[in-house]
Amino acid sequence: MAQWEDIATDLRARIAAREWAPGQQLPPMRALADRYKSASHAPVNRAVLALIGEGVLITDPNAPRRGVRVRSQQVIVHDLIGHSPATGAPGERTFEQAFQVEGELDVRTSYAWQDASTRVAQQLQIDPGTPILIRTFVYMINNTPHQLARAHMTADLAREIGLTDESVEVPGRNTAAWLGTAGIKVSREHLEISVRTPTQEEREILLVPPAVAVIQRDSVTYSETTPVEYWLTTVVADQVRYTIDFIPDRMDQTCL
């Protein structure tokens, strides 16, 4: 067995034993080379690259100073009915509370005021070019990207319910709660789920390992028959598990 393979095997075992916690940075290459008595960094580099390919380690090419970190492989269980804005009253449950996140969560939020693309216009049943607000959320669990979510709403409605800039965002405040401030009641949600290979942008943002797909969720929230918000969410496929319970006396509600 080549030296790099021995190094990869040992690193894999040490990570499994949680010598380094999820999200924690590995020692510098020089320190690892010294530990493994390697005459050069090449075997260590190759071992690290192999573990990145497996999804065990992660590195951000846009932030090289952050170094190589242990990739968090925490699987979030997502109840498709229970976590829908169309079921239950407007709430203030944070992401951590709703999905029982273990460890550190960071949500990076940005706003963009743009004209609606053809795709977004179709989802919201508006004319292409209509001014809209796009809210972008990147969820990081233990320094590992988990999902990229973009919420689309007409600019007029966004301003009416108080979505003016990133500073107004409240952790856990859902769509139903925001719309409720303007007396708009969420009545249903249409959801579509698909699995595909990530785009280049998604690879760069979510740091998706080479062999891992992404799951795309397209959801449109309605007030009566009027679409009020369109979400496009991309989740790294090995970090989520979807569940659903069909309850007989709610079938007429959940199968709309």
Side-chain angles (χ1 to χ4, degrees), residues 49 51-62 69 71-72 138 140 143-148 195-215 234-239:
L49 288 174
L51 295 185
I52 290 173
E54 294 175 16
V56 175
L57 297 175
I58 195 170
T59 186
D60 188 347
N62 297 315
R69 308 187 306 282
R71 180 172 179 261
S72 175
V138 179
M140 307 280 293
N143 290 314
T144 301
H146 170 73
Q147 69 179 31
L148 166 66
V195 180
R196 58 174 173 77
T197 56
T199 64
Q200 184 60 37
E201 179 196 29
E202 290 163 346
R203 286 195 183 279
E204 293 173 357
I205 294 175
L206 296 174
L207 305 182
V208 187
V212 177
V214 292
I215 298 176
T234 307
V235 189
V236 184
D238 65 351
Q239 293 181 313

Side-chain angles (χ1 to χ4, degrees), residues 105-119:
L105 173 73
D106 179 33
V107 184
R108 302 172 182 176
T109 307
S110 61
Y111 274 38
W113 302 88
Q114 298 180 2
D115 295 336
S117 66
T118 300
R119 176 185 177 85

Side-chain angles (χ1 to χ4, degrees), residues 156-162 173 176-185:
D156 288 344
L157 178 57
R159 294 189 178 97
E160 179 183 352
I161 65 177
R173 187 169 176 82
W178 279 111
L179 293 170
T181 62
I184 300 171
K185 183 179 179 180

Side-chain angles (χ1 to χ4, degrees), residues 88-137:
E92 301 285 350
R93 285 194 306 170
T94 64
F95 191 90
E96 298 100 315
Q97 294 167 337
F99 299 103
Q100 299 181 348
V101 174
E102 298 177 2
E104 179 184 351
L105 173 73
D106 179 33
V107 184
R108 302 172 182 176
T109 307
S110 61
Y111 274 38
W113 302 88
Q114 298 180 2
D115 295 336
S117 66
T118 300
R119 176 185 177 85
V120 172
Q122 289 174 341
Q123 297 287 355
L124 291 177
Q125 297 178 18
I126 57 178
D127 293 329
T130 300
I132 62 170
L133 167 64
I134 303 176
R135 295 185 291 153
T136 298
F137 306 89

Side-chain angles (χ1 to χ4, degrees), residues 1-2 10 20 56 70 74 84 89 112 128 142 150 153 161 182 226 240:
M1 184 179 291
D10 186 66
W20 300 289
V56 175
V70 176
Q74 181 178 166
S84 168
N142 296 320
R150 289 192 170 109
M153 181 181 291
I161 65 177
T226 303
V240 67

Side-chain angles (χ1 to χ4, degrees), residues 81-82 84-91 174 176 185-186 250 253:
I81 292 181
S84 168
T87 57
N174 64 13
K185 183 179 179 180
V186 172
R250 288 174 55 192
Q253 301 176 36

